[in-house]
Amino acid sequence: MATMEYKCPNCAGPLSFNPDKQKFSCPFCESDFDPKYIQDLYAEREKTETSDEREVNAYEERQKNRQEGDSEEYPVSYSCPSCGAEVVTTASTAATRCFYCQNPVVLGGRLSGEFKPDRVVPFTISKDKAVEIFLKMCGKKKFLPAGFTGKDQIEKMQGVYFPYWYVDEDLSGSISATGKKERSWTTGNRRYTETSTYRLLRTGDMKIKNVFERALKSNSREMLQSVHPFDLTKAQPFAMSYLSGFSAEKRDLEKKDVAAEIDKRMEEYAKQLLIDTMNGYQGISTEHFEDKVKDQNWNYTLLPVWIVTYKYKGEILPYAINGQTGKIYGSLPVAMGKLTAWAAVIAAIVIAICILGGMFFA
Amino acid sequence: MIKLSKTLTALLLAVFLVLGTVSQAFAESSYNSYYALIDEAEIFSDADAASIQSDLETVGKQTGWQMIVLTTERGISSDSMETSYDNYFYSDSRLSGDAVMFVIDDASSNRIILAYGEAQRYFTDERMSSLKSALLQYLNSGDMAGASSTFAKGCADIYSSGIPASKSANPLVRSLRFWWAYLLAGLIVFAAFILINRGRYKNMGKSGTYDLRANSELKLLDSQDVFLHKHTTYVTLNSGSGSSGGSSGGSGGTHSSGSF
């Protein structure tokens, strides 16, 4: 039901988007296809999936109602279009792999209609490159637990398209603030400081772009926010085919859920822009600020992130690598035994050096 | 008879003269490799001198140091005593090697204890102060013989206490006197190493998520800077920076000393 599988036009093998080539690649016949070609080829099918949206939503609603409580993490099952196996996903999963045949499956209904993203930033960093970045970060750290960079751990890394809200805003604002200027001079044996206070008034029209907020509540907000920035000039109009070969999540936070946070940050940024024009003043203190939104444009955007998690001492530690720039986020675990041993050895060396030094100078 | 008595008187006077001269000479300078009692100021009686000699010799044999008591009337000021009696020590061929010298300058009422050679190792500042305190009550009461005997006994006690770590010939022993400082340094390095490394592993990649400058445009429609008020303050500069400095103290390293 409402699943999409992109097959190779040559051999019917499963197609995945290849970040290195920025093309769709078939792992069996090793053919590469331009995204436009695949999107045109599957345009009709994607439309059909979109028309199934009501059916999908109704089905998911029924599934959800069967669950106790109102959790967003209720499981939903689909049939794999390749092998017919039952694929169980969470309600927010929009693309995954069949657990049995490993073929990529896009759950088209999840990203259609009102849930259709406006744009997607395709992966430009492949899994191999992401692993290299992750290992490079770990390579300089000597106190990681054994097995942290092992093969089993690395194989868990998966590419996920996470949903975000992006907001562009046109607004006008005015600010009233006080600022100080200081002038100093010396006469005789006195040093004078003259402090002049000014009222600073600024009014301006502003455009603030790409203020973002996650649109998925189940994952760590800090991780999803910290993996930024992305270069949105490389964003493409959304096409489901980009998700093939990756996991993808459907948004579960609506505009109204994040509007307050976005408004707060827009106001801070607008105020900062006006304050930045108050050159030459010190100790600027805002007395009054007001802004008026003229136009606001929301974009539902899918962004590429490589994710790997590590369970250490009962805690799940997430690591995220920006799938476009390679920026990495996460807190590494520390093997305290190893660290303590090293610290003790270094402390012992320092003590030995002190004793030797003392033999010459005491 | 008269002639005989004159002769006897002359002989007796001669004997007294000779004995007196010998006694004087004995009091002024009596020494061997274990001790030296040089009473230039002639402040000790024969009995005192004999008693002091005995004490000095006993301690000298025990310690292997030449125990010296020197009385003078040179009137050397307290500032110059150390240098002056260093010169005295090194210029007198009877005095050499490992020695401890107690100088009583009767003219200036200054006194000093000087240690030479191996004996220096035993005399820390604390031990020297303690010995000086022990002597002070005798010196204040003018009992120089008592002070000299106490000096001898005090030196014996110091010898018995052994060479302190700070004066040890073994540099390792000297260095280990500061074990607590080394341990503290080690603990600081230990803690710093752990904290720095834990910090390096935490919260990577949290910064630089949004570039406002790159994502914004501003068209300034109005800009006014309105003067409100001003005030002036001043500080008075010190014209004479009055540098003072220099350091005092320090010793030549050839002996330990304590004057009082």
Side-chain angles (χ1 to χ4, degrees):
Chain A
M1 175 195 293
T3 54
M4 284 291 296
E5 186 190 32
Y6 296 87
K7 291 182 182 290
C8 173
N10 294 340
C11 70
L15 282 180
S16 296
F17 184 75
N18 186 326
D20 287 334
K21 296 176 180 173
Q22 291 292 298
K23 289 184 174 181
F24 286 88
S25 298
C26 173
F28 294 110
C29 67
E30 298 185 343
S31 302
D32 295 325
F33 301 96
D34 191 76
K36 180 86 172 56
Y37 174 75
I38 296 298
Q39 283 158 17
D40 290 345
L41 194 66
Y42 280 88
E44 278 304 311
R45 175 92 189 275
E46 286 178 3
K47 277 180 189 169
T48 308
E49 296 304 333
T50 304
S51 68
D52 287 342
E53 181 199 341
R54 284 181 190 169
E55 184 190 341
V56 171
N57 289 344
Y59 171 75
E60 290 189 0
E61 194 61 34
R62 285 197 302 277
Q63 293 278 73
K64 184 176 178 180
N65 290 338
R66 284 181 197 159
Q67 308 303 314
E68 288 184 6
D70 195 23
S71 167
E72 287 293 322
E73 292 303 312
Y74 62 91
V76 181
S77 60
Y78 295 87
S79 292
C80 172
S82 284
C83 67
E86 190 169 326
V87 180
V88 179
T89 72
T90 65
S92 60
T93 302
T96 185
R97 281 184 183 273
C98 172
F99 297 124
Y100 302 98
C101 67
Q102 291 298 309
N103 280 349
V105 179
V106 177
L107 308 176
R110 295 272 173 80
L111 297 173
S112 58
E114 64 173 309
F115 289 104
K116 183 182 178 185
D118 299 302
R119 57 190 179 178
V120 57
V121 174
F123 275 91
T124 52
I125 287 180
S126 64
K127 182 174 181 178
D128 289 345
K129 180 70 179 168
V131 167
E132 188 184 319
I133 291 168
F134 182 72
L135 291 179
K136 190 177 174 186
M137 174 192 73
C138 297
K140 294 175 185 171
K141 309 285 189 300
K142 307 291 182 199
F143 308 113
L144 294 170
F148 181 73
T149 54
K151 192 180 171 189
D152 292 347
Q153 172 70 6
I154 297 304
E155 279 180 355
K156 290 181 199 164
M157 187 179 283
Q158 61 174 329
V160 182
Y161 281 102
F162 281 109
Y164 287 85
W165 286 110
Y166 269 77
V167 184
D168 299 340
E169 197 168 276
D170 285 359
L171 69 164
S172 61
S174 61
I175 190 170
S176 169
T178 56
K180 292 179 169 55
K181 277 186 175 177
E182 282 189 0
R183 185 171 73 93
S184 295
W185 69 96
T186 302
T187 304
N189 66 341
R190 285 183 175 179
R191 180 156 185 80
Y192 293 88
T193 303
E194 180 189 85
T195 306
S196 302
T197 305
Y198 292 81
R199 171 158 291 116
L200 308 169
L201 303 167
R202 300 285 186 275
T203 302
D205 287 341
M206 289 162 273
K207 286 181 192 288
I208 300 174
K209 297 184 294 180
N210 299 325
V211 176
F212 58 87
E213 185 61 40
R214 63 164 181 169
L216 185 72
K217 61 185 164 193
S218 57
N219 283 72
S220 156
R221 178 177 184 273
E222 184 179 275
M223 179 188 80
L224 292 179
Q225 298 292 94
S226 299
V227 78
H228 281 76
F230 287 86
D231 179 3
L232 289 158
T233 60
K234 301 284 181 359
Q236 302 291 325
F238 177 73
M240 263 187 247
S241 51
Y242 282 117
L243 311 187
S244 186
F246 300 97
S247 296
E249 294 289 314
K250 183 188 86 170
R251 73 167 190 256
D252 57 8
L253 286 171
E254 298 303 320
K255 289 180 188 177
K256 61 181 172 55
D257 299 321
V258 300
E261 177 64 27
I262 292 284
D263 287 347
K264 183 179 149 199
R265 279 161 57 194
M266 282 289 184
E267 186 175 312
E268 283 172 12
Y269 293 151
K271 194 188 289 183
Q272 190 59 50
L273 283 174
L274 291 171
I275 287 174
D276 285 348
T277 65
M278 299 171 182
N279 299 317
Y281 291 94
Q282 303 167 349
I284 293 168
S285 172
T286 303
E287 293 180 328
H288 179 72
F289 172 78
E290 63 180 21
D291 62 346
K292 186 179 176 186
V293 178
K294 293 177 174 174
D295 188 28
Q296 201 175 49
N297 184 29
W298 290 68
N299 282 291
Y300 174 30
T301 307
L302 292 184
L303 297 177
V305 181
W306 288 101
I307 293 281
V308 63
T309 58
Y310 186 72
K311 194 171 183 182
Y312 187 62
K313 293 184 176 175
E315 190 183 358
I316 293 175
L317 304 170
Y319 302 94
I321 299 167
N322 184 314
Q324 186 189 38
T325 64
K327 182 191 174 190
I328 192 163
Y329 162 86
S331 290
L332 291 168
V334 180
M336 280 308 291
K338 209 188 284 186
L339 178 61
T340 306
W342 269 89
V345 168
I346 288 172
I349 290 170
V350 168
I351 290 172
I353 290 169
C354 286
I355 291 171
L356 284 172
M359 288 168 71
F360 289 103
F361 299 110
Chain B
M1 187 66 188
I2 293 169
K3 194 175 181 179
L4 182 64
S5 69
K6 282 183 179 175
T7 306
L8 281 172
T9 304
L11 277 170
L12 280 171
L13 284 171
V15 167
F16 280 124
L17 189 64
V18 168
L19 285 175
T21 307
V22 169
S23 173
Q24 182 74 22
F26 186 79
E28 277 184 351
S29 181
S30 170
Y31 67 92
N32 62 26
S33 60
Y34 296 117
Y35 76 93
L37 177 60
I38 305 165
D39 188 14
E40 290 177 2
E42 298 180 10
I43 59 176
F44 297 130
S45 67
D46 293 348
D48 287 344
S51 171
I52 293 166
Q53 275 177 49
S54 172
D55 289 343
L56 294 178
E57 189 163 21
T58 302
V59 176
K61 285 177 178 171
Q62 179 191 342
T63 60
W65 306 335
Q66 190 179 37
M67 301 295 299
I68 306 161
V69 172
L70 168 65
T71 70
T72 75
E73 285 189 316
R74 294 174 178 224
I76 307 291
S77 69
S78 58
D79 291 343
S80 305
M81 283 197 79
E82 191 175 323
T83 313
S84 180
Y85 290 107
D86 263 357
N87 293 335
Y88 181 97
F89 178 84
Y90 290 115
S91 63
D92 190 329
S93 60
R94 296 168 299 178
L95 310 174
S96 62
D98 306 329
V100 187
M101 184 163 73
F102 177 33
V103 182
I104 300 168
D105 190 325
D106 206 36
S108 64
S109 295
N110 290 323
R111 294 99 186 188
I112 192 167
I113 297 170
L114 299 161
Y116 298 93
E118 184 67 16
Q120 286 179 66
R121 292 182 181 281
Y122 291 77
F123 281 81
T124 60
D125 290 345
E126 293 78 25
R127 289 177 179 183
M128 188 68 88
S129 297
S130 176
L131 179 57
K132 280 156 50 180
S133 298
L135 298 185
L136 214 52
Q137 56 178 313
Y138 296 101
L139 296 174
N140 288 342
S141 62
D143 181 3
M144 299 306 167
S148 299
S149 292
T150 304
F151 159 73
K153 286 167 189 160
C155 287
D157 290 343
I158 287 171
Y159 177 80
S160 302
S161 301
I163 297 172
S166 61
K167 300 277 186 174
S168 172
N170 185 339
L172 182 60
V173 174
R174 283 205 310 275
S175 179
L176 287 176
R177 283 184 303 133
F178 304 107
W179 63 269
W180 53 272
Y182 305 153
L183 189 64
L184 185 65
L187 284 173
I188 290 169
V189 168
F190 180 85
F193 187 82
I194 285 181
L195 289 175
I196 289 169
N197 276 289
R198 284 194 66 119
R200 283 177 63 221
Y201 283 55
K202 277 197 177 296
N203 299 326
M204 289 177 296
K206 283 178 75 174
S207 60
T209 57
Y210 185 73
D211 184 351
L212 176 60
R213 202 171 282 267
N215 286 290
S216 62
E217 291 171 26
L218 168 67
K219 185 181 175 186
L220 206 55
L221 302 175
D222 186 29
S223 176
Q224 293 179 50
D225 297 2
V226 183
F227 174 75
L228 295 178
H229 56 80
K230 71 178 174 184
H231 71 275
T232 305
T233 58
Y234 69 85
V235 290
T236 305
L237 305 172
N238 290 330
S239 53
S241 56
S243 66
S244 63
S247 58
S248 60
S251 64
T254 57
H255 66 264
S256 302
S257 66
S259 60
F260 50 103

